Amino acid sequence: MESIEFWYDFASPYSYLAAERIGGLAVEAGVALRWQPFVIGPILKLRPGQASATQDAPPAQKAYRRRDVGRSCAQYGLALNWPTTYPRNGLLAARVALAASDAWRERFSIAVYRANFVEDREISNQAVIASILQEIGQDADVALAAALLPANKALLIHHVDEAIARGIFGAPSFMIENELFWGNDRLEQALQWAKQPWL
């Protein structure tokens, strides 16, 4: 069965759009889906002249992105309540998602995105993450303990290094073997490629 990797960062509104859409589209396409949580900050800091782990976009670009995400959510029928703190730190959520089993990683990830971009909850707060885990039927104490193990923290660092080595520079990104597609607007194209590359 053809497969696609979905690389996503919890601070990214475009990753929120992709997370809400990719599961159903992958099933329709008959493509196996692998959720790959990571954090984009270390990659952004590699850009020349940029010491910050955030986009630091100029005002016009910030305004455009917010409007673009709003238009896209309306187009797809997705709720949006722009976070009062943006971007939010998704490190803890990424650690939990990485430690999660395949059985509940997708549900947790979507719940975190909705907490951030619909419910305006502070996803960097451990109590909020614990609440999300409980809401999806997971033992919060067990999941958080696994996420905060030194080995899992090191695994997330390795995951970011892997993303860099494979040419990933933004989120969301979709990988089919070594073919990279970047952005929510490339999701359908990536799924088509997974089924039948045309180059």
Side-chain angles (χ1 to χ4, degrees):
M1 187 178 188
E2 297 85 355
S3 64
I4 187 170
E5 298 174 32
F6 171 36
W7 290 76
Y8 58 100
D9 179 291
F10 286 112
S12 163
Y14 290 102
S15 291
Y16 161 56
L17 291 166
E20 290 282 7
R21 301 189 319 116
I22 194 169
L25 290 174
V27 170
E28 289 177 13
V31 174
L33 173 59
R34 184 177 177 196
W35 290 67
Q36 298 276 43
F38 75 126
V39 287
I40 196 69
I43 295 175
L44 296 178
K45 290 176 73 172
L46 294 175
R47 295 178 176 179
Q50 178 163 328
S52 172
T54 62
Q55 294 280 356
D56 288 340
Q61 189 174 358
K62 285 182 180 178
Y64 172 80
R65 286 180 181 166
R66 185 163 175 167
R67 180 63 175 167
D68 186 53
V69 171
R71 282 193 308 245
S72 297
C73 283
Q75 179 184 8
Y76 300 135
L78 299 175
L80 176 66
N81 179 23
W82 196 262
T84 50
T85 300
Y86 176 79
R88 285 198 165 113
N89 187 328
L91 177 61
L92 177 61
R95 287 173 173 164
V96 173
L98 192 60
S101 72
D102 291 342
W104 58 271
R105 181 177 293 120
E106 178 177 352
R107 282 185 294 125
F108 172 75
S109 297
I110 291 174
V112 171
Y113 277 119
R114 291 175 182 174
N116 191 17
F117 290 104
V118 180
E119 300 158 9
D120 195 19
R121 295 161 73 187
E122 183 48 73
I123 61 168
S124 67
N125 186 295
Q126 188 164 315
V128 171
I129 296 298
S131 176
I132 292 170
L133 286 162
Q134 291 166 354
E135 289 162 12
I136 65 166
Q138 296 302 310
D139 186 313
D141 291 337
V142 171
L144 284 167
L148 296 174
L149 286 172
N152 190 63
K153 292 180 179 181
L155 182 60
L156 183 58
I157 293 171
H158 173 75
H159 218 49
V160 173
D161 290 341
E162 179 186 348
I164 293 169
R166 296 178 69 186
I168 292 174
F169 57 87
S173 288
F174 314 101
M175 296 289 301
I176 301 96
E177 295 182 348
N178 290 318
E179 195 73 30
L180 171 65
F181 295 82
W182 171 55
N184 170 66
D185 59 344
R186 289 294 181 265
L187 172 53
E188 285 84 354
Q189 188 182 60
L191 288 166
Q192 291 171 7
W193 184 276
K195 291 291 290 184
Q196 182 61 59
W198 54 88
L199 277 179

